[in-house]
Amino acid sequence: TIGNLPLSSPHKQNIRLFPRQKDFYYALGEETSSPNQSNLIHLLLDTSFNITSAKKIKGLLWAVPWKQFYLSRTGLIAFVGHDDPQAMNYKTDHFAVVDSAGNNVISKKVGDNLFTRADLYPVIINPDEKSISLSVGNYPALDSLKRINIPLFGDTTLYSCLGKDTSFFTIEPVSFQKTDLNPGTIYSNVIESSLMPVLSSDFVMQKQEFCKVKSVCSTIKISGDSDFCKQTQQVFIARKNQECLKNITWRTDNIPADFVTKTDSSITIRIDNAWSGYLIAEINGCGLKDSLHIEAHDPLQAFSLGGEKILCPGDSVLLTAPQGYNNYEWNTGEDSNQIYAHHTGTYSVNVTDQCGNTFSSEIVVRKPLYTLPFLKDEQVCQGDSLFIFLSSHLSSYSWNPAASPLNDSSFFIIPRENTLYTVSARDQDGCESTSNFNVVMQNCTNQVWVPNAFTPNRDGRNDSFGAYIDGRWQSFSLQVYNRWGQLVFNADEPLKQWDGKLNGSDCATGVYIWICKYRLLHANTQTKKGTVVLIR
């Protein structure tokens, strides 16, 4: 019983039990004063037949059980009703679908003269639970000519053909006192109290054209600027195929935005803070949606390419503008944020951010202030030495073959054969430069040759100083003086060599002056003067 009303009916077929996981939906008719009217009782039971919910749907509903209601697996109830309870010809011109909570899904009144016979039979909820099938005529009909297929959710122009919304029923909670319950015969996943008799009769239906609307939704696409500046209005448009009659719903994925306008096909937003996320447009009931990743940026600031850069010989320089701007335009014609400079000169770049702001900067690329000079080829006599004086602004000198240093930037070499010398050095900016020169040995004859340096370090090379004569000589003298004019060495023949000592003690490293007088055979007396460097 429910309250003071018995749960009885002349038709036992109206008890239906559908399993849905652990719960069961159970619906049956309740007799009222008119034998041809009934209310619906909707119960939610578990597998032990414990009632968790009981509601009464009250209205002018058909009592004939197979016309009365249809219960889906998800708890949706479909039923029909009539206008005039006193009329002998019960014209059924309402149909409705409610969920297990009593919420109205569809409630429509069929317009007059829609069918030649307006009796409505069970509103069958299709297996996909996205549409309903409404039977028209004497009895439930299964062929397509006697059924109308109507979308269950969402707006559709087909509803306008069926009349206005109506509320010919009410839903209220009721108390239920459980008595003995015999589920009856079990058929697969449906429990019925007894077999339903099958009735048949002849029926002729006159088909009338009342509405032809077909909606096919297959595509949806969002367009709009995906990168823009915050605090600017942006318009996004969603396009669907022409055959689609369903409306577009916008979702904004928690965008911190002000919505200026929103329509079926477009949305205008203003984002006040920097943000990155998705804007989504979807068509309900079709499983169609599209998303667009958008980013709202803070306005970017002016920048500098930095101070001047040095272009080392044979190298290039990387110039970099900050990332994040929309456009880059260098005076070289390049359009990326980084370029390589292969020549000296002034380089500049113009940039534009997402807000339309334009900034520019320039930088000078110059060559090093100091590099190795061009060293010309040299010709020397056998045993002669050659001094090389380079810039003191360079450092890290390297020779191949090796040269002897006088100081950080001066060197001397004593070649024994024709030789190609290579010298390299670094400047204060870290640039390396290189220079090459050849030393060619000459055949010096009938000459007196005096070297300009020697190293008395007993290594067997250039350990002594003296004059060398190519040819026969008649007279000879050689004197060596220090910088104070003191005589430190005297020789009367070329074979005598100075070992760099005075009175048995080593002379200091430095520059010494020499005077040589000589007369070669068949020649006049000659005098030569010069300096020699003593190196230890």
Side-chain angles (χ1 to χ4, degrees), residues 328-341 347 349:
Y328 296 85
E329 183 179 352
W330 294 83
N331 60 347
T332 61
E334 294 166 279
D335 58 3
S336 61
N337 76 303
Q338 289 185 328
I339 66 169
Y340 283 93
Y347 291 80
V349 62

Side-chain angles (χ1 to χ4, degrees), residues 444-475:
C444 303
T445 59
N446 292 321
Q447 298 184 39
V448 174
W449 174 79
V450 181
N452 53 13
F454 74 110
T455 57
N457 55 6
R458 301 179 183 84
D459 64 352
R461 300 179 59 188
N462 306 308
D463 286 333
S464 62
F465 169 76
Y468 299 91
I469 297 179
D470 180 27
R472 297 177 63 183
W473 57 279
Q474 296 294 319
S475 62

Side-chain angles (χ1 to χ4, degrees), residues 295-359:
E295 289 192 35
H297 302 271
D298 286 316
L300 299 180
Q301 303 299 318
F303 67 96
S304 173
L305 291 175
E308 65 179 13
K309 290 186 178 293
I310 308 301
L311 179 63
C312 297
D315 202 355
S316 61
V317 175
L318 179 63
L319 305 180
T320 302
Q323 292 182 339
Y325 292 92
N326 273 7
N327 299 299
Y328 296 85
E329 183 179 352
W330 294 83
N331 60 347
T332 61
E334 294 166 279
D335 58 3
S336 61
N337 76 303
Q338 289 185 328
I339 66 169
Y340 283 93
H342 300 281
H343 307 283
T344 59
T346 300
Y347 291 80
S348 62
V349 62
N350 294 322
V351 300
T352 305
D353 67 7
Q354 290 81 2
C355 307
N357 300 319
T358 300
F359 307 100

